[in-house]
Amino acid sequence: MLSGFAICPGLFYATPAADGILSRVRIPGGIISSQQCRAIADIADQYGGGYVDVTNRANLQVREIRTEINAEVLKHLQDMGLGSGNSVVDQIRNIMTSPTAGIDPQELIDTRPFVQGWDDYIAAHPALSELSAKFSVCFDGGGIIRVGDRLNDIAFAAVLVDGNVYFRLYLSVGEKGQPPSDTGILLPPEECLPVLAALADVYLAHSHTTSRRRLRFLELLNTLGCENYLQEVEQRLPFSLLCSEIKKDLTLQPLQKKGEKFSTLVQREGKYQHIGIHPQRQQGLFYIGVVLPLGRLESRQMRGLADLAAKYGSGNLRLTPWQNLLLTDIPWQWVADVQSEIAFLGLDSSATNIKSALVACSGRKGCAASATDTKSHALALAEYLETRMILDCPVNIHFSGCEKSCAQHSKSDITLLGVSIEAENETVERYHVYVGDSKQKFGRELYQYVTFAELPALIERMLYVYKIQRLNSDESFGEFANRYALTQLQQLFNIIPKSFVNNKIPDFLEKLGI
Ligand code: SF4
């Protein structure tokens, strides 16, 4: 039986949503077996809407649940390793790591044992159920596919110093919505889990667990001050955080300065490189990054991918925080076959697919707070763009139904923020358009109150101008936009003759029934 409703969903903590009950299955590190996939696909068919959504923490969500999932079924799922081994801590946020942990040719350290270690620790310590459900932890192994820029309370990022691997400790401090900041603390790998346990313990010692709303880690850190918090952490440890002999004389690389945000690093490395075919660190084996349109997977597609993983790979799939997934451990001679079977399932593995970096929150159908029908609009935009242009690199376009930004907390190239206005006694959906980077949450506001009918042609012009005006193929849309003042960008996006798009708008609108 579902254990009542909660603000943050888990397998044992159902949450009501606009489209029914929502159940979220924690998948630590996003690594899921074929059998587990099939079991969740069955749940989605029997109880939910016949599909699952991959979230931005590499969880799986079953939506539109109308009938209660009984205790026996939940126990069966738990026995299969789904959800937490201890249901009282099941609502704590999923543990994040790179989806290529252990297979990334450039990673410094395989982070999977750290994910498993922290998950086991949580399950063995029911007192941690008093943590904020949003208490979030990330391990970044320093490979090609980085996750350190995702919003987490605590991030451990591997670095190489004098030939040895350490983790730098990043904490969420300062303004809400920012990636964690570098504390300057360097930890040998074996110190990470004790430090994490001490960080959680200090939180518990200071949070007021009687109140329904638990303090966020960031709020507590801001109140106590980072130095004070870390002093209390250190008092709980048998080793020193800041002054151990091994750390004294280390020379830090220029990218790793105290206080620097992890996002700076990731922007230099590039995102969405996991889509498509890539060699693994294991010779002769490859992984294939599969595009899931807006993170959604029909149950039949999920079973199909589970079969492919079992038949050609190691039987595991990796869910990504970019709401896509990887099939791993595929020998080279089977790669082409797997690709055509992916296509047969109605999915794609091309990085130039506009949907590879398209993100949308649940929108009006799934969330009462949404001003716009984000998911339908995002898919309609993708369909429009696919017939008109080919992108040679992913452009991250994020639709958000309100300022909360559930689908993507990190900055995107283009953010479309839904707003509704009253016009002639009608509520009309509009979008504010943001680009690139700035101190503002979504980037710089370029246009206000754009109707959905205007949006596809506008985005087409923006992408077209980006393609011809960018410095080189490595320059992302966001970096390109950052080079110009807003007025210059508006001029640039207006220089395309109206005929470039106007003659194509009517058939698009007709298709949408507008
Ligand atoms: S971003 Fe806002 S509208 Fe979208 S799912 Fe979250 S709360 Fe709902």
Side-chain angles (χ1 to χ4, degrees):
M1 199 176 75
L2 295 169
S3 316
F5 293 131
I7 296 167
C8 285
L11 183 58
F12 304 93
Y13 297 86
T15 302
D19 54 357
I21 294 169
L22 159 65
S23 181
R24 184 180 294 161
V25 190
R26 288 173 93 241
I27 312 286
I31 301 176
I32 185 168
S33 71
S34 292
Q35 293 97 310
Q36 290 171 329
C37 276
R38 291 188 195 106
I40 295 177
D42 289 347
I43 294 289
D45 277 343
Q46 273 175 266
Y47 297 92
Y51 62 89
V52 295
D53 284 339
V54 178
T55 75
N56 59 10
R57 293 199 69 83
N59 293 294
L60 280 175
Q61 277 183 181
V62 179
R63 302 190 71 106
E64 299 185 45
I65 297 176
R66 309 271 171 208
T67 323
E68 201 173 35
I69 303 176
N70 71 45
E72 247 174 65
V73 174
L74 289 179
K75 175 77 175 58
H76 173 65
L77 294 175
Q78 201 177 20
D79 289 345
M80 292 187 78
L82 290 164
S84 176
N86 187 343
S87 58
V88 299
V89 290
D90 186 55
Q91 85 283 18
I92 295 176
R93 280 197 165 165
N94 199 18
I95 307 164
M96 193 181 287
T97 196
S98 167
T100 52
I103 60 173
D104 189 313
Q106 286 181 29
E107 76 181 354
L108 300 173
I109 188 165
D110 180 358
T111 49
R112 289 174 297 176
F114 299 89
V115 173
Q116 188 64 54
W118 182 237
D119 197 46
D120 291 345
Y121 185 89
I122 294 174
H125 292 79
L128 297 183
S129 64
E130 301 297 343
L131 288 174
S132 157
K134 296 185 189 305
F135 188 88
S136 46
V137 175
C138 158
F139 296 94
D140 186 297
I144 301 168
I145 310 301
R146 313 298 301 266
V147 287
D149 72 321
R150 314 301 292 181
L151 283 201
N152 280 287
D153 289 333
I154 301 164
F156 296 90
V159 288
L160 198 59
V161 184
D162 295 346
N164 296 310
V165 175
Y166 292 85
F167 281 95
R168 284 189 80 89
L169 175 65
Y170 288 71
L171 297 179
S172 172
V173 63
E175 270 178 57
K176 209 173 147 196
Q178 295 295 317
S181 301
D182 191 354
T183 60
I185 292 172
L186 210 53
L187 300 165
E190 65 277 11
E191 288 181 2
C192 288
L193 292 183
V195 166
L196 195 42
L199 282 161
D201 199 48
V202 174
Y203 172 93
L204 292 181
H206 287 277
S207 62
H208 306 287
T209 52
T210 45
S211 121
R212 180 162 160 74
R213 182 190 172 273
R214 305 217 168 113
L215 270 186
R216 296 286 305 266
F217 179 80
L218 166 132
E219 292 169 316
L220 191 56
L221 205 56
N222 282 340
T223 308
L224 286 183
C226 201
E227 298 287 323
N228 294 334
Y229 198 108
L230 288 170
Q231 266 176 21
E232 291 198 38
V233 168
E234 202 165 27
Q235 284 160 11
R236 287 163 165 79
L237 294 169
F239 50 82
S240 161
L241 276 183
L242 302 168
C243 316
S244 76
E245 278 306 305
I246 196 166
K247 297 166 199 162
K248 253 186 194 165
D249 303 316
L250 298 174
T251 321
L252 299 181
Q253 295 158 22
L255 279 178
Q256 300 149 2
K257 293 184 197 125
K258 187 173 173 180
E260 187 169 25
K261 297 280 180 197
F262 200 101
S263 54
T264 323
L265 240 169
V266 174
Q267 276 161 15
R268 288 170 203 165
E269 302 283 332
K271 294 178 180 177
Y272 294 99
Q273 291 183 25
H274 58 287
I275 299 297
I277 302 162
H278 302 274
Q280 296 185 186
R281 69 180 316 149
Q282 297 79 10
Q283 213 176 0
L285 295 183
F286 290 76
Y287 72 85
I288 303 178
V290 182
V291 178
L292 307 182
L294 303 180
R296 186 153 291 184
L297 203 49
E298 294 165 22
S299 50
R300 68 163 183 97
Q301 291 173 320
M302 196 173 185
R303 286 192 196 90
L305 290 172
D307 290 346
L308 291 183
K311 183 175 172 189
Y312 297 103
S314 54
N316 282 326
L317 299 92
R318 312 270 188 113
L319 310 176
T320 83
W322 299 278
Q323 299 174 265
N324 293 308
L325 65 76
L326 312 184
L327 290 173
T328 61
D329 308 307
I330 315 284
W332 175 243
Q333 68 267 29
W334 300 120
V335 165
D337 291 23
V338 176
Q339 262 196 309
S340 31
E341 295 207 36
I342 289 169
F344 188 68
L345 290 169
L347 295 166
D348 187 38
S349 55
S350 159
T352 59
N353 186 317
I354 191 95
K355 294 184 189 121
S356 70
L358 184 68
V359 174
C361 73
S362 29
R364 278 175 89 163
K365 290 197 182 99
C367 175
S370 187
T372 53
D373 190 2
T374 51
K375 273 207 191 293
S376 309
H377 289 170
L379 288 174
L381 173 69
E383 234 176 82
Y384 172 86
L385 292 174
E386 272 162 8
T387 58
R388 282 154 177 87
M389 67 192 320
I390 294 174
L391 288 178
D392 49 9
C393 64
V395 176
N396 180 203
I397 303 175
H398 170 205
F399 280 76
S400 190
C402 79
E403 298 235 349
K404 208 168 158 199
S405 193
C406 298
Q408 180 171 331
H409 298 300
S410 54
K411 292 263 161 57
S412 50
D413 290 314
I414 301 171
T415 300
L416 304 165
L417 174 65
V419 285
S420 55
I421 55 169
E422 293 298 320
E424 294 170 6
N425 293 330
E426 241 190 294
T427 307
V428 187
E429 297 177 329
R430 293 277 199 275
Y431 284 96
H432 293 340
V433 180
Y434 297 83
V435 293
D437 215 350
S438 84
K439 287 211 167 103
Q440 292 166 350
K441 180 171 181 180
F442 294 113
R444 291 186 298 157
E445 190 179 77
L446 188 63
Y447 300 105
Q448 286 190 322
Y449 301 110
V450 179
T451 65
F452 176 61
E454 294 164 331
L455 203 57
L458 173 63
I459 302 293
E460 182 185 12
R461 288 204 302 274
M462 289 165 63
L463 295 178
Y464 179 80
V465 171
Y466 158 63
K467 275 180 78 172
I468 56 176
Q469 287 288 116
R470 65 187 170 179
L471 291 178
N472 54 52
S473 57
D474 286 337
E475 188 177 46
S476 71
F477 183 94
E479 289 164 343
F480 154 77
N482 289 343
R483 287 196 286 115
Y484 296 93
L486 284 175
T487 46
Q488 288 175 313
L489 281 177
Q490 284 159 352
Q491 280 166 0
L492 270 175
F493 297 148
N494 281 337
I495 58 170
I496 305 299
K498 284 206 178 329
S499 57
F500 172 69
V501 287
N502 272 4
N503 59 357
K504 291 167 187 166
I505 284 181
D507 43 333
F508 167 73
L509 296 180
E510 199 179 308
K511 206 170 179 182
L512 289 171
I514 292 174

